[in-house]
Amino acid sequence: MADLPIAAVVRVAKSSGAERVGSDASEILVAKTEEYLGKLVKEAVKLAAHAGRKTLKEEDIEMAAEKIA
């Protein structure tokens, strides 16, 4: 079961230019989004730990996004 609400992901897709989003597409969008977020957070956690922190900060997320992109 997905943690992200499908409706929210569909709204993002529509605000990015999609006129319509099929149910099969919305399910894979959620799965791929969660997969990306998981990788992003794992990398950000490594960066925060390297800096001696447990709390993720904006710079951890930004650096992690650059690294995994």
Side-chain angles (χ1 to χ4, degrees), residues 23-63:
S23 61
D24 57 338
S26 61
E27 289 175 15
I28 195 71
L29 272 171
V30 168
K32 293 295 184 180
T33 301
E34 289 180 346
E35 181 181 316
Y36 174 78
L37 283 173
K39 290 178 184 178
L40 181 66
V41 170
K42 283 180 185 178
E43 188 59 37
V45 166
K46 289 179 193 174
L47 293 168
H50 181 72
R53 292 182 277 104
K54 292 182 179 180
T55 303
L56 295 179
K57 292 191 168 189
E58 180 181 354
E59 61 259 25
D60 301 324
I61 302 298
E62 291 289 346
M63 289 174 63

